Amino acid sequence: MSSKPYFCLYAHDIAVQGATRSAIYDLQHQHITFIPNVLYKVLLHLKQHPWRETQQVFAPGNPQLFDQYLHFLLQKDLGFYIDAPASFPPLSLAWHSPHHVQNAVVSYAFAHYSLPDVLAQLDALHCRHLELRLNLGCRGAWPEVVALFQQLETMVFSSVTLLLAYSENVPDEPQLGAFYEQFAKIQHILVHRAPYSRPGGTHPGQIAFTERDLCADQPKDCYIVNSEFFTEALQFNPYYNRKVCVSAEGYVKNCLLRPEHFANVRDTRLATVLARPDFQELWHAAPDQTAGLQASELRYALFSAAYLVRDSASGLFTREPQLTAAEPRLLAAVA
């Protein structure tokens, strides 16, 4: 054992307690290490006490067991011995974003509303990422798409994902490859409902064709480990937070798969909808406010598109089966 009196986790290693086990989130290396709950309690004690004092509290008659715990943390490169813990302040867990909208999903079939106007509104809201779902059908023409992306190049979006519903108006693979190279903000081009599934020949990592209907699929749960996601999940729901969606008919929603809508872009500005408390409600459906997630050691890493509703009795959000409706349901405006 070290002669230095204290043992600390690195600032980027955060311990999270669960019901049956705990976890250490290594936010720098994007990795999670599972630990027993007793080790979580040990780590809490070590934050304020020398390791020898902690050893006497948790393993007074079995110092070898305590040594094994600290050796495990050292082997995983999760902590270190130190003389003065105050010299290594904790990582700030505050989350802040200058963007009024983090993510926008916009569906458009070249009818019902003005897409250039919606893009201009998102630009004014400092939208960070855009997922643009286009259905060329019999109305859309590829030169219009090119003109849209020329408009996007002058806007604030840092990245754009383009989803194209397969049709005879969709360009062939070489044309899509040239289009991808022309506009630097394009992250991916996905052609769905295609007659085949395969990556694009010229840019297989960025262009793909799939037989699936991506617009009808609910995103699968996944786990994300980094400081931005972790700090956001402490206060917000990372799937819904600062997200706005516009359906092909112009309805403004939290998610295109949800049946309810809040307004239509034909007669209401996006900034007006975003300011509504009922629209922002799901932004605040953080894991600690969601039944079934509160006791999970993985709650600050889970990215889930689950349908959430607030339980009026407990005040908590609950995960419900995905709802569908033939017609969108309009939520009444909050006075």
Side-chain angles (χ1 to χ4, degrees), residues 30-254:
Q30 301 183 11
H31 179 73
I32 289 178
T33 299
F34 296 106
I35 58 173
N37 279 342
V38 65
L39 181 49
Y40 174 84
K41 295 177 181 178
V42 168
L43 290 170
L44 279 184
H45 198 271
L46 286 169
K47 286 184 176 182
Q48 298 181 359
H49 303 276
W51 65 263
R52 291 187 186 278
E53 184 178 325
T54 303
Q55 179 187 43
Q56 289 302 310
V57 171
F58 287 91
N62 192 353
Q64 293 81 11
L65 176 61
F66 185 83
D67 293 350
Q68 288 175 8
Y69 279 145
L70 298 194
H71 182 67
F72 169 79
L73 297 172
L74 289 170
Q75 274 192 321
K76 296 290 186 180
D77 195 27
L78 297 171
F80 59 103
Y81 289 100
I82 189 175
D83 290 314
S87 303
F88 292 84
L91 183 73
S92 172
L93 298 180
W95 184 85
H96 173 74
S97 171
H99 306 276
H100 299 296
V101 177
Q102 287 277 101
N103 183 25
V105 181
V106 178
S107 183
Y108 188 62
F110 297 85
H112 300 299
Y113 66 91
S114 169
L115 178 57
D117 179 60
V118 168
L119 296 179
Q121 291 183 55
L122 291 172
D123 181 54
L125 292 166
H126 304 145
C127 182
R128 185 179 183 183
H129 176 75
L130 172 66
E131 181 179 301
L132 189 57
R133 302 180 175 188
L134 298 181
N135 189 339
L136 299 178
C138 59
R139 295 173 179 263
W142 191 247
E144 293 181 67
V145 179
V146 175
L148 284 171
F149 274 81
Q150 288 171 339
Q151 178 187 3
L152 287 170
E153 284 293 293
T154 65
M155 292 181 167
V156 72
F157 306 103
S158 59
S159 60
V160 180
T161 294
L162 175 60
L163 267 64
L164 292 169
Y166 184 86
S167 75
E168 61 182 12
N169 292 327
V170 172
D172 58 22
E173 290 187 39
Q175 285 180 289
L176 288 178
F179 180 74
Y180 169 78
E181 293 175 357
Q182 182 180 356
F183 297 104
K185 291 187 179 183
I186 299 177
Q187 193 173 43
H188 294 101
I189 299 175
L190 304 173
V191 181
H192 64 119
R193 302 205 305 244
Y196 49 82
S197 294
R198 67 169 185 244
T202 56
H203 300 83
Q206 292 76 36
I207 301 175
F209 296 78
T210 178
E211 297 173 79
R212 292 166 49 201
D213 184 351
L214 296 179
C215 295
D217 289 352
Q218 178 168 327
K220 295 181 179 179
D221 289 359
C222 64
Y223 292 98
I224 300 173
V225 184
N226 59 51
S227 57
E228 181 177 1
F229 191 94
F230 183 89
T231 53
E232 184 176 10
L234 289 174
Q235 304 176 60
F236 302 102
N237 182 296
Y239 177 76
Y240 290 106
N241 185 35
R242 301 202 189 187
K243 178 178 183 177
V244 63
C245 299
V246 180
S247 74
E249 296 79 19
Y251 294 112
V252 184
K253 300 184 171 193
N254 291 122

Side-chain angles (χ1 to χ4, degrees), residues 2 7-8 12-13 15 24 45 50 67 85 92 108 130 135 173 205 220 249 253 258 261 278 283 311:
S2 173
F7 184 91
C8 297
H12 57 262
D13 295 325
I24 297 176
H45 198 271
D67 293 350
S92 172
Y108 188 62
L130 172 66
N135 189 339
E173 290 187 39
K220 295 181 179 179
E249 296 79 19
K253 300 184 171 193
R258 295 180 71 98
H261 72 274
D278 57 341
W283 294 7
D311 178 67

